[in-house]
Amino acid sequence: MLFTNLSIATMINGYGLIEKGTVSTENGVIARVGTEPVKGDALDCGGRLLTPGFIDCHTHLVYGGNRANEFEMRLNGAAYADIASAGGGIMSTVRATRAASETQLLESALRRLESLLAEGVTTIEIKSGYGLDVETEMKMLRVARKLGSLRPVDVKTTFLGAHTFPPEFKENHQGYVNIVCNQALPRIISENLADAVDAFCEGIAFSLEETKSVFKAARAFNLPIKLHAEQLSNLGGAKLAARFNALSVDHIEYLDEEGVESISKSGTVAVLLPGAFYYLREKQAPPVAALRRHKVPIAIATDLNPGSSPVHSLLATMNMACVLFGLTPEEALGGVTVNAAQALGLKDRGTIAKGQKADLALWNVERPGDLSYPLGFNPLAAVIRNGELIKGTLP
Ligand code: DI6
Ligand code: FE
């Protein structure tokens, strides 16, 4: 394929904008990017913006039930942590997910996935973590893998058995840590169901020591790690994750300067999740100034989940990252492309350059800043994946 008259946000050094640019693809990868006049039949894109395909690097897309009732409870004064302690929260989704068949999980997840795909997403990460027993965790991961075969999207799966403690193990944390590390993980590895391991390090979930056990087990199997860290308080999870060379630490509203320094040294990506901040009406924003000072790559993601972030739009997430966290539109776009790829350990996508995977989104706008600016407006024109048109129409 050969495209001309493009405004290309290559996402190399910021927007890396090329005006009146040309892109060609061959065998599923980008063959050429430049401004030279093209020979042969090129599609004139009328000055439209071309970006890398979007990457949602943190979702809990597969789950049973929904939690609209808790949304109402919170707006009637209940706190997120109190609902969780009373057996609601994550546990209410665990009950619904355990009860759901694989087909039911697949059907509900497909509907949610469609919303993301409608906005140019070509790669998505999906976590388990609403099973909290070996069978259900594996069921979730199988469904996540299957989504990638049913829709034109690359799915990266993350085992989040350490999301919280199931009621069966409320009084026996070590027993559950053992199940996660010694029963679930080996089986998940043997069936190739996970590309990374994650944990929720928080007062209402896994302690620092418990998180460390999970990281050690992941390392023994050579799986990269990620961490839900410093979302509601500062336990030092990010520092621990840095010691294990984590791909990313996610949320990090309560991360301090020292923590920022340690993830900067380990090359760990900071994944900001403005949807959860918005829904929980949090007050403390993540330390964006410190992240910039220490040159930590910033990604942003929907955190799509039924409790803290029923957000099904990466474009809305970009807008929220700008309005709520003060990211620039340039940082927001980097957050769903180049840095999101890094948060998943993917080197073959997230920028527009020769040799990169030809996953591209064409937009009915002329400037990249236009993507973060509106709320509830989708200017997508077309999506190309592996060099093939999979959505929309080309000019
Ligand atoms: N932090 C979150 O925001 C989600 N998981 C986590 O560890 C919320 C999960 C839920 O409330 O269902
Ligand atoms: Fe999450």
Side-chain angles (χ1 to χ4, degrees), residues 84-87 91 164-174 176 204:
S85 311
M91 275 320 300
T164 190
F165 289 93
E168 314 83 277
F169 288 94
K170 263 236 137 60
E171 309 303 327
N172 177 15
H173 280 195
Q174 194 50 49
Y176 184 64
I204 54 171

Side-chain angles (χ1 to χ4, degrees), residues 22-45:
T22 297
V23 167
S24 67
T25 71
E26 238 172 72
N27 302 323
V29 299
I30 296 168
R32 225 166 29 122
V33 185
T35 49
E36 68 270 31
V38 291
K39 305 175 213 86
D41 275 337
L43 280 164
D44 187 325
C45 295

